């Protein structure tokens, strides 16, 4: 027993255990000030074609460059903004930056679709549609180049309203994407009624779906549904080569995730594209050996 005790007191965890740090949630006042002062910064995560490696577009992911706390992620402030009537201002800010950036890339010779995440409260705001149309026109970007992503769970809140607004945006030629698919509760009938262009399979059903049967069932069903309803399929949360190979084998259209690239600052995108296209040629288009 003495020896055991000695061993136990010597034991150290293989990796140091980090002290638990609770996620800080910010107040509406702080967020309001951040929007006003321009402290929110858009990051852009590439979406690429699985079959060809082509860079098809980027998804805009907002972060807050906080003077004291550093980089703050959306799960620490988006829901507060939604609850306190700040999401329209926030989205306007993100859209303006994203559309302006899309134009800049275009002028540099990069034809990229730019996706922006929108909340249900944005869609139900009366002037949202006019605002998006105006922002796109002012930036000189065709609506076909812009993708509005809305999560499946928010969509299901009020189907009747979302159906009408989304249909109108679709008629203006904006592309519509259903985000985090698999985590909401849409029915097949509802999906058929909304003119979505793109279906994003939630990352929870992508990473490791090649080895976990339960994940795989949902991944396969989502992919089949996208194909049946003529939507482009996107897998998010592609983290490693095994994930990537599953997409290749199953014919998923687009990939997004850290295996391709983490979200980047706008100015990093051109250099990243160069490096990526080289990686596609040398590494990714060859069949993996396992
Ligand atoms: P989302 O739209 O589903 O975005 C994907 C999230 O997965 C992003 O987190 C992204 O950084 C993360 N991600 C990307 N690749 C990987 C990967 O390989 N593995 C893992 N584990 N995660 C990966 P992020 O940037 O923290 O955003 C979280 C959510 O916040 C987004 O989920 C979106 O719903 C929301 N969001 C982000 N920006 C905005 C915005 O401007 N407006 C609104 N309304 N919501 C936003
Ligand atoms: Mg999204
Ligand atoms: Mg998503
Ligand atoms: Mg997600």
């Amino acid at each position: 027993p003495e020896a055991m005790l000695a061993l136990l007191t010597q034991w150290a965890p293989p990796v140091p255990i980090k002290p638990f740090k609770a996620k800080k949630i910010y107040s509406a006042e702080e967020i309001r000030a951040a929007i006003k002062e321009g402290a929110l910064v858009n990051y852009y995560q590439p979406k690429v074609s699985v079959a060809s490696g082509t860079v098809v577009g980027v998804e805009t992911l907002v972060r807050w460059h906080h003077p004291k706390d550093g980089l703050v992620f959306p799960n620490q402030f988006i829901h507060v903004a939604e609850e306190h009537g700040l999401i329209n201002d926030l989205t306007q800010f993100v859209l303006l930056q994203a559309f302006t950036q899309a134009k800049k890339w275009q002028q540099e010779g990069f034809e990229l679709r730019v996706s922006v995440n929108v909340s249900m409260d944005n869609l139900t705001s009366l002037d949202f549609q006019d605002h998006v149309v105006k922002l796109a026109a002012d930036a000189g970007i065709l609506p076909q180049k812009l993708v509005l992503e809305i999560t499946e769970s928010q969509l299901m809140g009020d189907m009747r309203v979302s159906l009408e607004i989304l249909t109108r945006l679709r008629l203006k030629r904006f592309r519509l994407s259903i985000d985090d698919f698999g985590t909401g509760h849409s029915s097949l009938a509802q999906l058929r009624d909304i003119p979505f262009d793109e279906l994003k399979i939630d990352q929870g059903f992508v990473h490791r779906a090649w080895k976990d049967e339960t994940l795989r069932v949902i991944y396969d069903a989502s992919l089949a549904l996208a194909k049946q309803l003529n939507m482009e399929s996107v897998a998010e949360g592609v983290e490693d080569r095994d994930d990537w190979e599953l997409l290749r084998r199953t014919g998923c259209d687009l990939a997004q995730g850290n295996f391709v690239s983490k979200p980047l600052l706008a100015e990093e995108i051109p250099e990243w594209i160069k490096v990526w296209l080289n990686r596609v040629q040398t590494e990714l288009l060859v069949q993996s050996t396992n």
Side-chain angles (χ1 to χ4, degrees), residues 40-76:
L40 301 185
V41 180
N42 284 357
Y43 282 60
Y44 299 94
Q45 188 175 38
K47 283 173 167 174
V48 301
S49 156
V50 177
S52 68
T54 316
V55 183
V56 172
V58 293
E59 175 178 8
T60 308
L61 294 161
V62 72
R63 274 106 182 78
W64 178 0
H65 283 190
H66 193 284
K68 285 203 203 71
D69 301 342
L71 200 59
V72 179
F73 288 83
N75 63 356
Q76 285 171 275

Side-chain angles (χ1 to χ4, degrees), residues 150-189:
I150 172 127
T151 63
E152 186 191 21
S153 47
Q154 289 211 13
L155 199 68
M156 291 306 119
D158 190 341
M159 260 309 285
R160 209 171 31 82
V161 175
S162 31
L163 194 83
E164 188 188 326
I165 293 166
L166 290 170
T167 305
R168 278 198 260 145
L169 284 164
R170 190 66 185 75
L171 286 171
K172 303 262 188 208
R173 301 273 186 276
F174 288 96
R175 291 178 67 86
L176 304 178
S177 169
I178 182 163
D179 201 353
D180 297 353
F181 190 78
T183 62
H185 308 277
S186 48
S187 72
L188 297 183

